[in-house]
Every structure is written in C-alpha cells, then in structure tokens.
Amino acid sequence: MYDIAIIGNGPAGLSCAITARMRGLSTLVVGPQNSTSWLARAERIDNYPGMPQVAGGLLLKTFAQQARDLGAEEKPGLVRQVLAGDGSFMLLVENEVCEAKTVLLAMGAARPSLLAGEEALVGMGVSYCATCDGHFYRGKRIAVLSATAEGAEETHFLAGLAAEVDYYPLKKHEPEGLPANVTYVAETPQALAKTPEGVTVTTKQQTRVYDGVFIFRNAVSLSMLLSELAVQGSFIPVDRGMRTNVPGVYAAGDCTGKPLQVAKAAGEGNIAAITAAEYLATRG
Ligand SMILES: Cc1cc2nc3c(=O)[nH]c(=O)nc-3n(C[C@H](O)[C@H](O)[C@H](O)COP(=O)(O)OP(=O)(O)OC[C@H]3O[C@@H](n4cnc5c(N)ncnc54)[C@H](O)[C@@H]3O)c2cc1C
C-alpha cells in the first residue's frame, strides 16, 4: 500500500510527488503514458520562476524526471474510480487495483461532457471497463462509444465475447482493423436511456437498442471518480492545506479552480504533499 497515490501527471501531481518523496512517503503517480497535461500543449512558458522561456513539454519532462529520480513510482493509465475504505483508498487504474493511505486529485481542468442519461445508467448497462464487465455480454449485442483510438483496442477484446458490436466515435477518429462482427456507425451519440428491451443509444439519425454500452474517453467525470467528493461546478473546493471534504483526499492544480497557472499548480501540489505527510504522521 502506498502512502500517497497521485491522480494526474501534470505539474500539480509531479510537484506533489517530488515533495512527498522528500518527506519519505511511498508515492505512486498515475497518469496517461502520453500525458495530456495542458503544459505539454504550451509552446513557451515565460512566467515559471527560474526557468525563463521554457517550452511547456520540456518543463513537464523536467518535473517528471525529478520525481522519478527521487523515487516516485509511475503507473500508466487513467484512474477510473476511487473507493474510500476504512483508513485507505482503492484506486481502479484501467483494469488494475492500487491501494493508498491518501490520495491527491490533480487531474487538471479538462472534464468529459457526459451524454444525457449516462450518469444514471452506470452499472445498469453502461460500463467503462471491458475487462471488468465484458463477460456479462457473452453472445450479446453491445455498443462501444469511444472518444479515442484506444477504445478500438478494447473493442477487439469485446468483439471476442459479444455476438455483435456497433462502434460509435464520440470524437472524430478512424479505428483501423475492426473485427468482422464490429460495425462502424458514423453517427454521434447524444443520449442513453434504459428501456425494457435494453439500453438505447440515440443519435441525430435514430435510436438503437443494445444489451450493454461501453464508453471509452481519456478523462473521467469528478462524480464518477469519487462519489463522496464535494464539487463546485467543475472544480473541487479545498482549504489552504489542499484538503477536500473527504479526509485523506487532497486536490491541487487546475482542478481546484482559477487561476489556471503552472506556478499555482506546482505550489498547491507542494502544499498537498506536506498536509498529507502531517496527516499520515498523526495516524502513526
Ligand atoms: C496552450 C496553453 C498555454 C499555457 N500557457 C501557460 C503559461 O504561459 N503560464 C502558465 O502558468 N500556465 C499556462 N498554461 C496553463 C498550464 O498549462 C496549467 O495551468 C497547468 O498545466 C495545470 O497543471 P495541472 O497539473 O493542474 O493539470 P494538467 O497539466 O492539465 O495535468 C493533468 C494531468 O492529469 C491527467 N489525468 C486526468 N484525468 C486523469 C485520471 N482520471 N487518471 C489519471 N490521470 C488523469 C491528465 O492526463 C494530465 O496529464 C497554458 C495552458 C495551455 C493549454
């Protein structure tokens, strides 16, 4: 079990990892292999102290290397869900489970826009995990709604179980080499609903019914990540120690609100690590 699991590999998460290691905490950083950090998109940063006129990508790599050199461990992937247990947390990272005593939320400001009806159907015919739930749909008819080409990889696995699969792109991409029982549907899903026949996917053109629906995106909504978490709009309220309303869970960076700046993200990550270390010390 890790002392701290950090969700997000942008400046807030990596800064937290650096200080957490300096404070002797066993530290796991979870984030996509190719970080979707906003910093990677910034051509040049002029206002980060000590590193004038630095390319965003280089600054991000430097943060990551510093965290690595200090002994932070990394796990590629997205955290799909955090479950609060008795004094610890279970994190579902793609298809694996990790355990930690404290958690930092540092997922940046990007949020997925959910489909109408989606949230109410999670676990009731709508799933985000092919490995966890695919076996329920052996020989059945399912839909895959995917924002990225990675969803196409999961579709290969699902196509081996289900009889028929319809593949809808949530964002424009062309999946290659889909299996023979997968149909590419070039329509944009707008709403999901439960009917006695199954789960319906409605596009502008028509409504089709399935036994189950799998959704793949490269971001997770806050309400689905940690159900107990208090949110204000699309941001997470924190106190000056970066504590959220859930004991042992901290938040830092763009996900706590404006200003959306690297120095603020790094500073909040640093504070969160210190607060988490103090919390762990009081628990013995
Ligand atoms: C074009 C551009 C220019 C900018 N210029 C400047 C500038 O000049 N100066 C400045 O100070 N700021 C600038 N910014 C803003 C700055 O990049 C952000 O404020 C900063 O990156 C926020 O850091 P963060 O760690 O909070 O979030 P991010 O950098 O967005 O990192 C979040 C990370 O969390 C990961 N993640 C998300 N969900 C999950 C999950 N469920 N599981 C695991 N990982 C997850 C994401 O993939 C991402 O890697 C700019 C931003 C852009 C887009």
Side-chain angles (χ1 to χ4, degrees), residues 58-131:
L58 175 62
L59 185 56
L60 189 63
K61 272 193 194 142
T62 310
F63 285 148
Q65 193 58 52
Q66 191 174 350
R68 222 171 275 140
D69 290 347
L70 284 164
E73 292 179 35
E74 292 163 285
K75 186 173 262 309
L78 284 186
V79 177
R80 300 283 167 188
Q81 206 178 4
V82 178
L83 298 168
D86 194 12
S88 69
F89 299 90
M90 308 279 272
L91 285 79
L92 180 64
V93 184
E94 304 300 348
N95 305 317
E96 280 179 55
V97 172
C98 303
E99 214 178 341
K101 294 176 191 164
T102 62
V103 172
L104 176 77
L105 306 172
M107 297 86 60
R111 300 272 170 273
S113 41
L114 303 184
L115 298 167
E118 177 178 336
E119 201 161 350
L121 292 181
V122 176
M124 296 174 61
V126 171
S127 170
Y128 302 99
C129 178
T131 309

